[in-house]
Amino acid sequence: SQQGEEDPQALSIQEGENATMNCSYKTSINNLQWYRQNSGRGLVHLILIRSNEREKHSGRLRVTLDTSKKSSSLLITASRAADTASYFCATSGTASKLTFGTGTRLQVTL
Amino acid sequence: GAVVSQHPSWVICKSGTSVKIECRSLDFQATTMFWYRQFPKQSLMLMATSNEGSKATYEQGVEKDKFLINHASLTLSTLTVTSAHPEDSSFYICSASRLAGPYGQETQYFGPGTRLLVL
């Protein structure tokens, strides 16, 4: 399987803390994207980082990409209860297909 | 913009029956549509890629005769689960793609998913 691995599988933090999730993948990529999925719902696109980029920011989100290690991280700063969801990385090569990671379930408690 | 809908949102059926799920891009024409399956607490697994007017490309291990895909127009793709069995119970998610985003890249927009329960 070409599916990427994410860790941790589950993460529980308190509101206001930062959450960091990591994603590793196996093949060369064109870009890497992060998605959020609330329980039983569809996916919401968060951020895309291209293979020639090392870091991107969007609001409280910070994504890094290390193509030499085939890994990426997603940092959510000052987390809120509403950030509770599953987070997936997805890689894309030359084709438009996405290969999703195994996901991290984030629980933010008050 | 870039809204994708799925219908139905959930369905319960008896074993042996067929179920059709629709995926529509509401405000754009999609170059390609994708069908994914997601089991509880697992990731999304791509089942097939479909382009309007041509046969779908199935991923390894996905039975094309069991999961029939019809892509009738640039805004509609359907997935029919034929002779459904309890092991087909899952969350089916579609996406529709078009060129978009800050780099004009192929971007997938996801539907809300269809939960299928086969009794």
Side-chain angles (χ1 to χ4, degrees):
Chain A
S1 167
Q2 297 299 306
Q3 191 174 46
E5 297 286 327
E6 287 185 57
D7 78 274
Q9 286 188 336
L11 178 61
S12 182
I13 59 174
Q14 289 191 321
E15 209 173 40
E17 294 181 334
N18 296 340
T20 299
M21 294 158 246
N22 302 294
C23 164
S24 61
Y25 56 91
K26 298 177 182 177
T27 60
S28 298
I29 63 169
N30 223 13
N31 62 63
L32 184 145
Q33 304 178 59
W34 284 90
Y35 289 85
R36 184 183 74 205
Q37 183 183 36
N38 289 84
S39 181
R41 309 290 290 275
L43 273 72
V44 174
H45 184 262
L46 295 176
I47 197 167
L48 177 150
I49 186 166
R50 292 196 297 183
S51 59
N52 61 352
E53 297 176 311
R54 292 295 165 259
E55 187 171 314
K56 279 193 81 170
H57 297 256
S58 177
R60 293 185 295 114
L61 306 180
R62 173 177 169 257
V63 167
T64 63
L65 178 64
D66 187 334
T67 52
S68 66
K69 295 180 180 178
K70 290 187 168 60
S71 68
S72 174
S73 68
L74 169 67
L75 168 68
I76 303 174
T77 60
S79 63
R80 305 167 182 167
D83 294 329
T84 294
S86 290
Y87 292 81
F88 295 93
C89 66
T91 55
S92 174
T94 51
S96 55
K97 292 196 307 185
L98 292 176
T99 300
F100 283 86
T102 50
T104 293
R105 291 191 305 280
L106 174 66
Q107 176 75 45
V108 182
T109 55
L110 295 171
Chain B
V3 178
V4 177
S5 70
Q6 278 184 244
H7 178 79
S9 56
W10 61 269
V11 57
I12 302 173
C13 70
K14 292 182 179 179
S15 189
T17 60
S18 293
V19 175
K20 180 186 283 189
I21 302 170
E22 289 187 351
C23 176
R24 292 181 185 272
S25 55
L26 298 184
D27 51 1
F28 68 100
Q29 292 186 325
T31 49
T32 306
M33 288 186 170
F34 302 84
W35 286 96
Y36 297 84
R37 182 167 53 181
Q38 184 181 32
F39 291 107
K41 296 188 177 180
Q42 294 189 26
S43 187
L44 279 75
M45 296 299 290
L46 179 65
M47 298 175 68
T49 303
S50 122
N51 291 288
E52 183 255 345
S54 61
K55 289 184 181 179
T57 302
Y58 290 82
E59 294 299 299
Q60 196 171 12
V62 178
E63 299 174 58
K64 61 180 180 182
D65 294 330
K66 180 166 185 63
F67 299 99
L68 300 178
I69 292 173
N70 182 275
H71 197 149
S73 74
L74 288 172
T75 59
L76 172 63
S77 176
T78 60
L79 168 69
T80 301
V81 183
T82 61
S83 186
H85 290 283
E87 57 265 30
D88 298 322
S89 298
S90 188
F91 192 52
Y92 292 87
I93 303 177
C94 74
S95 72
S97 73
R98 67 170 186 179
L99 296 178
Y103 311 110
Q105 74 276 1
E106 193 83 23
T107 300
Q108 290 188 33
Y109 299 91
F110 287 83
T114 296
R115 189 162 300 283
L116 170 63
L117 177 61
V118 184
L119 302 177

